Amino acid sequence: MAPRLGDRLSALRRQRFVGRDEERVMFRKALSAPSLPFNVLYIHGPGGIGKTTLLREYRHIADEEGATALSLDARNLEPTPESFLAALSAALDASPGISPVAALSAGPERRVIFVDTYEILAPLDNWLRETFLPELPENVLVVLAGRNPLSRTWRTDPGWQTLVRSLALRNLSPEESQRYLSGRQVPAEVQHAALEFTHGHPLALSLVADVLEQHPGQSFRPTDAPDVIRTLLEQFLQEVPGPTHRAALEACALFRLTTEALLTEVLDTPEVPEVFLWLRGLSFVESGPLGLFPHDMVRDALSADLRWRNPDRYAELHGRARAYYSRRLAQTHGREQQIVLSDYMYLHRDNPIVRPFLDWQETGTTVPDTASEEDLPALVEMVARHEGEESARLAEYWLRRQPASALVFRGTRREPTGFMTLLRLEDTTAEDREADPAVGAACRHLAACAPLRQGERATHFRFWLGRDDYQSVSSTQSLAFLKIAQHYLTTSGLAFTFLPVADAEFWNPFFSYIDLFRVPGADFRVGGREYRVFGHDWRVVPPLVWLDLLAQRELDPSPPAASPLSGAPPVPHFAILDETGFAAAVHDALRCFTRPREMRRNPLLRTRLVAEEAGPDAPDAERVSALQALIRRSAEQLRASPKQARLYDALHHTYFHPAPNQERAAQLLYVSFSTFRRHLKAGVDHVADTLWQWETTGRAGSG
């Protein structure tokens, strides 16, 4: 008799089966044991994770072990006891009038009942647990496979706790995924992109292999394979209740962690509480202490689909999330602010320039901490191992000279896994600059090209490295960059930062994207090894403008090219005034306060203070209005104190609503002319000092 087509189909399916070694060993041991160690095996996991494929493999194992296998698919059943029993009778080929339980009890052989898509039988869960399963003989094993974990009732029942084994299916390992792709004849040189997209998800691996099989010689890019994305989404999104739920799922795919507050911001609908609960109940969405997050493969599929299908919606979600995160950054501090910043930076994970340079897999095992005296030998040893003894000597010098500048990254056992130093260059001495060529070069560059004004700071991230990976991409390096960004946003008076690297060619594309430019004048050599330095002038591109710039680049289909490694700093587009010139410009702005046309010539309009108030691309008229608002805001502070209110009155009658002359202003305030002049000078000095503080700290007060 010729072989059946079904047998050939079954053989081909089994030939492509990879992985699940532990699951197969466990199942085979259970079937071959003298008595079953459990009577219900419950397999659960998101759609496409391989539940059905594993059930097929289990059926083969059951055949090999001499057990009778019966298969039911809940998609072919009504969720009623009658429908379930009828389907089981048909699978058993039981005689009319014989109940399935009686038929299962008729022989001594071991039997296995496989039930796929168990989530459809949720209405039958209590009946199966309390009525049907207790009637089965002990030699019957029931294998259930569904998307959702077992209900709490199963897990808390003392009897079923012993008789049920729950098995959560995960993605295939990288090695298993590679084995599968190799079996599908996918060339080794294109496997990396497929693995990065699928994260080992079995269905995704299969679909990607199909695409590469149909287009031999091509590499795989998710944005070029909308059919794959659509198929994956169909698998996951079979029954999305409505457009608001779909929008919530798309948002969940773009954001690192989704909270109800964030959804309220981006969806602007009263349905948010209900939709958030729906998201939380999806089989491929997990709940963490800080919010919801989808399965990695689902996240990538949804994100790629949205960007391909509706780029305007993609940009809108980004914009609303950025607005939310910006407010939260201003409202938070310390660890909470670091979390918000992680959320903000996560918006860039899909960018092809950014993604390879950050470790997006958050394991939570590395945490930042202040350095202690006990850490010093381990930190110095790290530098010696990666940079040599001369660098190690300099590291020890700075760890003792500026101990508060060191930030240590600790692992699960609190041991240092890396560290970075944030040297305050404004506090260095001539001896410091002579001792370390890196600091000497940076200070010479500042003096020649970007002198610090009073109250301004410059930071040199002199050492930054991981214990095992040095300056390679790793969780430690990514956490260091996160702390660097937090330093940018929270350091009062920050004017300039320097970041040295051992491999400038590797980091240059990423640094160019995040607006760090080459500073050749700050390069240095230690221990025969050259280090190149990147920098940023925060008076030229302030932190808030910087965040907007990154947002524009994330959504720009043509991101900036990497800067030449020998390139010079960009030409400043903000005026950088010293304190004397700044005060003179404030006095001139006050004299022209009621004549906006004349204020357009004021150099304050080109400062970062006014740019942050009006917007970096605001026209002159809006910049004048912003400068007037800043001046009024600083003057209004005087009204809080009865003693200083007299200074405000002098400003008011001289500049804001001027009297015909200063003598008349003194008369209106019932003070002598000399007293009035003293009050006016003190008021002008207050406005100039306050605006200078806001200019150099990057924080304009709100009154």
Side-chain angles (χ1 to χ4, degrees), residues 9 151 199 401 419 436 486 488 531 575 601 615:
L9 183 63
S151 64
H199 302 283
R401 190 76 166 179
F419 80 103
D436 188 351
Q486 190 173 13
Y488 295 160
Y531 298 85
R601 297 192 297 270

Side-chain angles (χ1 to χ4, degrees), residues 321 510 528 606 652 684:
F510 176 63
R606 299 290 173 255
H652 178 83
V684 171

Side-chain angles (χ1 to χ4, degrees), residues 89-374:
S89 291
L92 283 164
D93 196 19
S95 302
I98 303 296
S99 72
V101 173
L104 288 168
S105 304
E109 69 272 17
R110 188 156 287 173
R111 290 185 169 90
V112 185
I113 303 174
F114 297 100
V115 182
D116 201 0
T117 332
Y118 184 69
E119 66 272 11
I120 295 176
L121 299 182
L124 281 184
D125 192 63
N126 287 339
W127 174 79
L128 286 166
R129 184 181 61 255
E130 297 173 6
T131 304
F132 174 73
L133 293 176
E135 294 296 322
L136 295 180
E138 289 187 350
N139 64 343
V140 174
L141 174 61
V142 178
V143 182
L144 309 174
R147 294 191 174 195
N148 307 312
L150 272 175
S151 64
R152 184 171 177 272
T153 312
W154 286 91
R155 292 182 279 112
T156 56
D157 185 293
W160 283 117
Q161 284 177 347
T162 303
L163 299 178
V164 172
R165 177 73 58 87
S166 184
L167 180 62
L169 283 193
R170 304 299 183 191
N171 288 358
L172 299 177
S173 69
E175 295 76 16
E176 292 167 340
S177 301
Q178 282 184 306
R179 203 159 75 237
Y180 174 82
L181 292 175
S182 297
R184 293 289 304 272
Q185 308 304 311
V186 174
E189 62 270 18
V190 300
Q191 288 183 11
H192 177 74
L195 293 173
E196 188 175 57
F197 171 68
T198 62
H199 302 283
H201 188 278
L203 173 63
L205 282 167
S206 174
L207 291 170
V208 169
D210 288 343
V211 170
L212 294 173
E213 215 170 56
Q214 295 164 16
H215 303 89
Q218 293 186 11
S219 60
F220 174 75
R221 292 189 299 175
T223 52
D224 294 341
D227 290 337
V228 172
I229 306 301
R230 189 158 50 247
T231 304
L232 296 175
L233 294 179
E234 286 172 359
Q235 178 72 20
F236 286 120
L237 309 175
Q238 294 173 0
E239 296 180 2
V240 173
T244 303
H245 296 74
R246 177 60 181 262
L249 192 54
E250 290 170 343
C252 189
L254 297 187
F255 309 146
R256 187 176 76 97
L257 296 166
T258 299
T259 63
E260 193 170 320
L262 178 55
L263 271 190
T264 300
E265 176 83 16
V266 300
L267 296 187
D268 192 24
T269 171
E271 299 177 65
V272 164
E274 170 202 336
V275 170
F276 185 79
L277 288 176
W278 172 79
L279 271 179
R280 192 174 187 179
L282 293 175
S283 62
F284 51 81
V285 173
E286 297 187 41
S287 297
L290 300 177
L292 307 179
F293 54 96
H295 187 284
D296 286 341
M297 198 280 304
V298 180
R299 185 194 290 281
D300 287 352
L302 281 167
S303 178
D305 175 72
L306 179 61
R307 196 162 192 167
W308 168 78
R309 178 174 50 83
N310 193 344
D312 291 342
R313 175 61 177 162
Y314 182 92
E316 181 185 3
L317 286 173
H318 261 256
R320 293 189 176 191
R322 287 196 309 273
Y324 174 79
Y325 294 142
S326 295
R327 287 201 306 275
R328 294 286 296 140
L329 283 172
Q331 297 165 355
T332 54
H333 304 280
R335 172 63 177 163
E336 187 178 0
Q337 186 180 64
Q338 180 183 318
I339 293 170
V340 177
L341 188 59
S342 296
D343 294 339
Y344 199 115
M345 294 304 172
Y346 197 80
L347 292 174
H348 297 273
R349 72 183 289 272
D350 286 334
N351 189 285
I353 293 179
V354 175
R355 186 163 187 160
F357 292 95
L358 292 174
D359 181 358
W360 302 100
Q361 303 301 318
E362 307 234 356
T363 61
T365 58
T366 305
V367 296
D369 191 17
T370 54
S372 66
E373 181 70 23
E374 292 74 23

Side-chain angles (χ1 to χ4, degrees), residues 72 77 85 115 142 266 269 290 294 338 351 408 452 512 516 593:
L72 304 179
L77 307 177
L85 293 173
V115 182
V142 178
V266 300
T269 171
L290 300 177
Q338 180 183 318
N351 189 285
V408 174
L452 296 183
S512 295
L516 298 188
F593 196 86

